Amino acid sequence: MEHLNLLFCQQFLIVKTMDIFLQGMTNQLLYSLTCRDRETSKQVFQLLLDEAFYH
């Protein structure tokens, strides 16, 4: 039974758990940077760039 369980893990869990977690964090970060600000209708990423450029 343990051998069968190991075989299932090897076939279905191709990447490490930490890699899955980091990919999820990256996706959330990119999503939050591409959201639009309600007041200016600019993307958050553009607001951050404007702030860095003008100050």
Side-chain angles (χ1 to χ4, degrees):
M1 195 62 169
E2 289 178 16
H3 182 68
L4 181 61
N5 189 29
L6 178 64
L7 290 174
F8 276 122
C9 287
Q10 289 173 347
Q11 290 300 315
F12 294 110
L13 192 56
I14 299 169
V15 295
K16 295 179 183 175
T17 306
M18 186 54 106
D19 293 334
I20 296 169
F21 175 77
L22 291 175
Q23 184 63 52
M25 293 269 306
T26 303
N27 291 348
Q28 284 300 107
L29 176 62
L30 291 174
Y31 175 74
S32 66
L33 289 175
T34 56
C35 287
R36 293 202 175 267
D37 180 52
R38 290 182 181 168
E39 292 180 21
T40 62
S41 293
K42 288 185 176 182
Q43 291 180 332
V44 173
F45 183 73
Q46 185 63 46
L47 291 172
L48 291 171
L49 285 178
D50 290 347
E51 183 69 24
F53 184 71
Y54 292 117
H55 292 283

